[in-house]
Amino acid sequence: MAKNTNTPKNAPNKQNKKNGKRNLVILILMFLLLVCLFVVQCQLNKVKQQALEEQKLAELALRQKEILDSLRAEQAKADSLKAIEDARITDSLRRADSLRTADSLANLPKVNKDSLKHARDSIRAERKARRDSLDALAKNEKAKQDSLDKLREAENLRNSDKVPPTAEITPPAGRYYSPIKLKVKCDEIKCKTFVSIGDTLNPQDASKPIDYNKTGSVFFLAEDSVGNRTAWEEAKYDMASDNICGKNAYPVPVGGKTVCVDAYEYPNQPDATPKDMVSQEEAARICKNEGKHLCSIEEWQAACRGKDGFKYSYGNSYKQSKCNTNTKSAKRSGRKTQCRSWWGMNDMNGNLWEWTSSTSKQHPDKYLVAGGAWNTNNESSCSESKFSFYPQNQYPSVGFRCCK
């Protein structure tokens, strides 16, 4: 009787277990279905990617076929011209044979000697004409073959060269006190250059200098002979009219005051040879005699770093081509036109180390020099130099500039 009494109570529990198993099976089936859908989606994406790659390959094959068809057309044209020339030469040979027949009649007693001479001259003329014609045909064939070779070479170059050129704008970004002429330079032959004033919507040819006298941004790019194009680059200009410093010197804000800093290394003249082999004491005396003073390290660094506090006068990344930092000697002042700070100072990175009026913190009896020389590479930044020198000594790689 106890067993019969418990059977109705256990029935719901068994039903619940069956339902739970059924639900679990359903969940597993749904999970498997989702996995299948994911796998199918992945396969579809893979098929789509393969289709895109096949389309690109088909386009490339079509382009190559067009080039080959063009070359075949040129070859067919050359063959046609050759056939025409061969026919003309064959006709000339027939005429020559007829003339030789006339020559064979020279033994006949009744043939006029003048007629025979004329026949021989005609044969010689025909032979010369035939040789000239063959030579001309050979030259023509060679010219056509050279043209085809150049086409193939140009196409191979176009397919292999995917690197865009390097462009730079001259004069570089910065503050100027008179109108300037903009020009974009490219490091490759047969390069097209463009500028766009204010934005990138109105590009114009920059192969010739462009007059400019406006504060704002100028965008520039270059395109090489096979169509590789640089991205638009921006150069910012500040066209000012308040130069209070006079000739070859420009104002620089330093610690809440304005200091006039020479634009070039002494003697502060463009294209002049900068003075080296000068002691710190002599440099300070020369600046004083000109009503100026030898720049302090703070003044020098402010002039070099510009309004944005760059590591180098032209930016935060070292670029060997910008300044004279990887050669065997100093260059004339201003020759490296890209080596100009925002405020207008030239050759502050490389060329010559420059004396300052500041002493070394570690060695108070020595003075700091700044900016690096012609062979210091990336150790030519605007930051304070680790080098210091005795003030009475002269060095072949050390010059100076003045401040006021």
Side-chain angles (χ1 to χ4, degrees), residues 174-355:
R175 173 174 288 180
Y176 295 87
Y177 295 88
S178 58
I180 57 179
K181 290 184 178 295
L182 299 176
K183 188 173 182 180
V184 180
K185 295 182 179 180
C186 179
D187 65 342
E188 294 188 17
I189 302 174
K190 295 181 180 180
C191 210
K192 297 178 182 178
T193 55
F194 303 90
V195 299
S196 185
I197 310 299
D199 53 40
T200 60
L201 302 179
N202 299 293
Q204 55 181 305
D205 177 57
S207 59
K208 296 181 180 180
I210 299 172
D211 293 328
Y212 186 78
N213 188 24
K214 179 181 179 182
T215 295
S217 295
V218 175
F219 296 86
F220 61 97
L221 63 76
E223 181 180 331
D224 64 20
S225 58
V226 296
N228 296 315
R229 175 177 285 201
T230 65
W232 282 108
E233 297 182 60
E234 182 181 12
K236 296 181 179 180
Y237 294 91
D238 181 12
M239 308 307 293
S241 58
D242 55 347
N243 185 13
I244 60 175
C245 297
K247 185 179 180 180
N248 293 340
Y250 301 108
V252 176
V254 183
K257 63 179 182 179
T258 298
V259 178
C260 292
V261 181
D262 284 356
Y264 305 98
E265 293 168 322
Y266 191 84
N268 193 29
Q269 295 292 333
D271 209 39
T273 301
K275 183 176 179 59
D276 58 5
M277 292 300 295
V278 57
S279 67
Q280 194 272 351
E281 295 170 344
E282 183 183 358
R285 185 168 55 253
I286 291 173
C287 290
K288 183 177 180 180
N289 290 339
E290 294 193 2
K292 304 176 183 179
H293 64 269
L294 191 61
C295 298
S296 68
I297 192 67
E298 293 80 14
E299 293 169 335
W300 194 97
Q301 289 180 349
C304 182
R305 287 173 173 161
K307 70 178 183 64
D308 296 315
F310 287 146
K311 184 177 181 180
Y312 299 92
S313 60
Y314 49 80
N316 284 320
S317 300
Y318 172 70
K319 296 182 179 180
Q320 182 176 304
S321 63
K322 295 288 187 180
C323 299
N324 182 27
T325 58
N326 188 34
T327 61
K328 297 182 179 180
S329 63
K331 294 185 180 294
R332 292 179 179 272
S333 295
R335 285 287 180 92
K336 301 292 284 186
T337 57
Q338 293 292 313
C339 193
R340 181 188 189 275
S341 73
W342 173 269
W343 304 117
M345 286 78 238
N346 294 270
D347 301 321
M348 300 202 81
N349 304 121
N351 214 42
L352 289 178
W353 290 102
E354 297 185 23
W355 283 114

Side-chain angles (χ1 to χ4, degrees), residues 6-7 9-21:
N6 292 333
T7 300
K9 293 180 179 180
N10 292 333
N13 292 333
K14 290 182 179 179
Q15 186 64 32
N16 290 335
K17 288 181 179 179
K18 289 182 180 179
N19 292 337
K21 290 180 179 180

